[in-house]
């Protein structure tokens, strides 16, 4: 018997079918919602940093929402490193909501109540997990 589809994973799969690279969309939204973040990225080479950061975050999200085989631990590591950079915890957590909102924008009518509810739960769980890492 197959396991029911994971709504978080499904939202990324649907988004991937519409957009080859989420990076520009996610960071455009991040910079619009949190203009102070633009200065956190140096001008040269920032595209590579942003793409890598997003890819690692997506891996961590998928693992956190799935089997939790280890990639989700990156969240704990990044909480500590971003604290070291002086990034407020709220801003660190806001990045996950920016990703969710970007996916919701791409999915449009396919953003179902189940997907919305799964993302709401996930963001609460990530916030609680990050708080324990403090």
């Amino acid at each position: 018997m197959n396991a029911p589809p994971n709504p978080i994973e499904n939202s990324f799969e649907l988004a991937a079918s519409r957009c080859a690279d989420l990076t520009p969309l996610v960071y455009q939204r991040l910079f619009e919602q949190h203009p102070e973040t633009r200065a956190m990225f140096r001008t040269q080479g920032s595209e590579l940093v942003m793409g890598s950061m997003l890819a690692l975050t997506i891996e961590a999200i998928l693992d956190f929402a799935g089997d939790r085989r280890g990639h989700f631990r990156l969240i704990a590591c990044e909480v500590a490193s971003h604290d070291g950079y002086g990034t407020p915890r709220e801003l660190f957590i806001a990045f996950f909501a920016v990703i969710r909102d970007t996916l919701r924008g791409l999915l449009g009518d396919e953003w179902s109540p189940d997907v919305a509810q799964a993302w709401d739960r996930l963001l609460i769980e990530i916030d609680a997990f990050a708080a324990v890492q403090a």
Side-chain angles (χ1 to χ4, degrees), residues 59-82:
E59 271 186 52
I61 288 170
L62 290 171
D63 190 45
F64 197 90
D67 295 334
R68 295 195 184 181
R69 295 178 186 242
H71 291 289
F72 78 95
R73 289 190 175 87
L74 176 74
I75 296 168
C77 296
E78 291 303 318
V79 165
S81 67
H82 281 73

Side-chain angles (χ1 to χ4, degrees), residues 4-20:
N6 179 320
I8 303 296
E9 187 176 322
N10 190 43
S11 67
F12 279 107
E13 289 172 0
L14 288 170
S17 72
R18 291 172 173 72
C19 177

Side-chain angles (χ1 to χ4, degrees), residues 5 10 26 33 51 55 62 67 74 81 85 100-101 115 119 126 132:
N10 190 43
V26 167
Q33 292 180 0
L62 290 171
D67 295 334
L74 176 74
S81 67
Y85 301 145
R100 179 218 36 213
D101 295 345
V115 171
W119 268 98
I126 288 174
V132 172

Side-chain angles (χ1 to χ4, degrees), residues 10-85:
N10 190 43
S11 67
F12 279 107
E13 289 172 0
L14 288 170
S17 72
R18 291 172 173 72
C19 177
D21 184 6
L22 289 173
T23 307
L25 297 175
V26 167
Y27 283 93
Q28 177 184 349
R29 185 179 295 269
L30 178 68
F31 296 153
E32 286 171 1
Q33 292 180 0
H34 304 279
E36 69 277 20
T37 59
R38 189 177 298 275
M40 295 176 172
F41 296 92
R42 52 175 205 237
T43 6
Q44 289 188 326
S46 64
E47 293 84 14
L48 292 173
V49 171
M50 289 185 237
S52 175
M53 189 170 124
L54 181 59
L56 290 170
T57 304
I58 291 170
E59 271 186 52
I61 288 170
L62 290 171
D63 190 45
F64 197 90
D67 295 334
R68 295 195 184 181
R69 295 178 186 242
H71 291 289
F72 78 95
R73 289 190 175 87
L74 176 74
I75 296 168
C77 296
E78 291 303 318
V79 165
S81 67
H82 281 73
D83 280 349
Y85 301 145

